[in-house]
Amino acid sequence: PQGSEEAKAFVHAFLKRSMPKMKAEAIQEMLTRKAVVLEHYPKKKTKQKRKKTKGFTAKQRRELRLFEIEPEQQRYAIFLPLHELWKQYIRDLCHGLKPDAQPHMIQGKLLKADLHGAIVTVTKSKCPSYVGITGIILQEFKHVFKIITKEDKLKVVPKLNNVFSLELDGFISYIYGSKFLLRASERSAKKFKLKGTIDL
């Protein structure tokens, strides 16, 4: 067929261009005796280093005011639904807070629980002005709680040297702030010792 003749002519012309140092007889011998393998050398791909996504620095967070609550949002009534959600979350976490539940088991779960939305009261403090502050925890940081009171005032209460009480369905739990100097995310993975010295 005419197509095969064209293909044969193309192959001969291609080989002459590709191997100019070889004679036509040598090329013909190669075609009759051996299979021609056209090698391909792919370029080595350089691995691109993945850039880690960096979060904001503490300075940038302050400048952007990411964690600040606007004055018009500082109202106790706004966060009552958050408290109701928190109560349901704790009931589910503690399997209903039944009367026959062991207090130390509940205490252990509360130590690792998320406290955003909990109503707490400062019961003891080395600074008397903090005693009696009651409100919903809006934000928890490593060293402080931000609490909104019924008077719609946002209080920043340090954990250090303060004891907080937490009441839910008749269970009262005490949080010793000096032993609680952790972020919420770190607290969930920490193993707390049941015995130890308790002080302010």
Side-chain angles (χ1 to χ4, degrees), residues 122 125-133 155 162:
V122 182
S125 177
K126 284 191 176 180
C127 180
S129 62
Y130 288 126
V131 177
I133 292 176
K155 302 281 187 180
N162 286 322

Side-chain angles (χ1 to χ4, degrees), residues 1 13 35 38 50 53 61 67-68 71 75 87 93 97-98 115 120 128 134 145 147 156 161 163 176 192 199:
L38 302 177
R50 290 183 181 180
T53 54
R61 287 197 292 266
F67 297 116
E68 288 189 24
R75 288 190 288 132
K87 287 198 292 186
L93 186 68
L97 286 173
K98 296 174 183 177
L115 297 178
V120 294
T134 303
F145 285 123
I147 298 171
V156 180
N161 300 326
V163 179
Y176 288 81
F192 289 92
D199 56 2

